[in-house]
Amino acid sequence: MAPFYQYGCHLKKHGSYVHAAKEALRLREAEGLSCIQLFGKNPRSLEQKSWSQKDAAACKSLLDAAGIKRFTHSAYPLNLAVHIQDQPELFQKTATSLLQELMIADALGARGVVVHFGVIKHGNKLQGYQDIIAMLNTVTQVWTGHVLILLENQAGMHGGLGTTMEEMVQIRNLCEHAGKIGFCLDTCHAFVSGLWQANDKAGTSELLSAGEKLGYWEHLMLVHLNDTLEAFGSKRDRHARLGTGVIPQGAFQQFLSSPVLRDKPFILETEPIGMNLHTEEWAIIREMGT
């Protein structure tokens, strides 16, 4: 029986979007992969990237024909919580970088660009929220493509922003162009931040119920399916391959089989091993989904 989950992983493009597309096609045949995530540009820099629209169009054509959904992940230095008055040049550089991420994702036919919620340097959470809204308003005011900005929940380090669904929903609601913003949930981050008490069956039910009441799940576009090496509430972000971390497999199954999540794409961001990258994890996903 085929699994009911849509699952995939983060792929390296090795200088070519077409390379990632061909790897996705191979893994579709070998492991049933149906969605991928990749970096649209250099993950370590906010600098503008020279990129080939022809390469992106060829990648899009291959993945469209195979019915493989795709997402991109923004560069790691990209921080939405930059204060425009204190750091005007960095604010502009960040906004410009995110706009290019959106343009590349659009050319690839991606559904969204995953962006970390934001890190504050000064300890003032309220100012951090205001800075995030200012950045999102600046970018979405000029962005006219189909790709969404997907706010990802965080583990709780570096100021503690972005660990709750309430924050995600409130920030989206306060933005001038909320329709251009969605969510990405990382299961490792949810556990170590204290959002998801996966060691308790009631904790998973409470998470699902809270998300429904807030209207969070209807704007969730993607789940990063990661186990963790760290304890509940530790705020330490260390991904682990499924079945090798501390989150119970039963909690994953209870979470993923919820009706509000069964049509969402699940992307592995764990360390690839061997030719098929995540053989043991693919098997766990298929077992949970049959």
Side-chain angles (χ1 to χ4, degrees):
M1 181 184 300
F4 53 69
Y5 302 134
Q6 301 174 50
Y7 61 85
C9 66
H10 184 96
L11 291 177
K12 295 180 179 180
K13 63 181 186 296
H14 296 289
S16 168
Y17 301 121
V18 168
H19 179 278
K22 290 180 177 178
E23 183 72 345
L25 295 177
R26 183 184 69 81
L27 290 171
R28 177 181 174 83
E29 290 300 313
E31 300 284 1
L33 173 149
S34 59
C35 51
I36 64 168
Q37 176 182 275
L38 65 157
F39 289 117
K41 58 197 290 289
N42 184 351
R44 303 294 177 185
S45 174
L46 294 178
E47 298 298 331
Q48 294 293 288
K49 170 189 170 61
S50 175
W51 58 287
S52 167
Q53 293 191 22
K54 182 178 179 180
D55 182 33
C59 172
K60 179 180 184 300
S61 180
L62 287 171
L63 296 178
D64 282 349
I68 296 176
K69 297 176 182 177
R70 71 230 67 142
F71 301 84
T72 66
H73 196 296
S74 64
Y76 293 127
L78 197 150
N79 178 20
L80 296 177
V82 177
H83 189 50
I84 190 170
Q85 294 179 337
D86 291 344
Q87 297 177 294
E89 292 183 2
L90 180 57
F91 185 96
Q92 182 60 42
K93 188 173 186 178
T94 301
T96 302
S97 180
L98 181 51
L99 278 168
Q100 186 179 49
E101 299 262 18
L102 289 164
M103 286 188 286
I104 293 171
D106 212 34
L108 293 169
R111 298 188 169 203
V113 176
V114 177
V115 180
H116 293 157
F117 187 80
V119 175
I120 55 174
K121 309 292 186 180
H122 40 66
N124 185 337
K125 280 193 173 185
L126 178 58
Q127 184 63 62
Y129 295 139
Q130 292 171 339
D131 292 339
I132 290 169
I133 292 170
M135 180 68 73
L136 290 172
N137 282 342
T138 297
V139 173
T140 56
Q141 183 177 10
V142 298
W143 173 242
T144 59
H146 297 97
V147 177
L148 301 182
I149 296 172
L150 304 183
L151 299 178
E152 179 181 356
N153 62 306
Q154 299 183 151
M157 301 182 293
H158 310 303
L161 289 189
T163 61
T164 69
M165 292 183 291
E166 287 89 346
E167 288 170 285
M168 306 291 165
V169 172
Q170 287 292 347
I171 289 295
R172 181 182 183 277
N173 288 345
L174 289 170
C175 284
E176 295 172 358
H177 303 280
K180 299 179 183 181
I181 300 168
F183 306 128
C184 168
L185 181 76
D186 186 301
T187 54
C188 164
H189 299 172
F191 184 77
V192 300
S193 70
L195 173 63
W196 180 25
Q197 175 50 286
N199 294 325
D200 183 347
K201 186 174 182 179
T204 300
S205 297
E206 289 169 3
L207 176 68
L208 294 167
S209 177
E212 283 197 80
K213 291 177 182 177
L214 288 166
Y216 175 85
W217 302 123
E218 63 189 271
H219 300 295
L220 181 76
M221 299 290 292
L222 174 66
V223 175
H224 284 166
L225 192 60
N226 302 310
D227 206 332
T228 179
L229 297 172
E230 301 295 343
F232 173 75
S234 65
K235 304 187 186 305
R236 293 192 291 269
D237 184 9
R238 293 177 66 205
H239 292 181
R241 295 168 63 84
L242 293 181
T244 69
V246 299
I247 300 177
Q249 189 168 320
F252 273 121
Q253 184 156 11
Q254 181 188 359
F255 178 71
L256 299 182
S257 61
S258 167
V260 298
L261 289 168
R262 286 181 62 158
D263 64 341
K264 308 295 184 183
F266 302 111
I267 294 286
L268 295 171
E269 290 187 313
T270 50
E271 187 67 24
I273 298 176
M275 184 175 181
N276 287 350
L277 310 185
H278 302 278
T279 299
E280 294 179 0
E281 292 177 285
W282 301 133
I284 290 172
I285 292 172
R286 285 192 290 267
E287 182 179 350
M288 286 193 297
T290 54

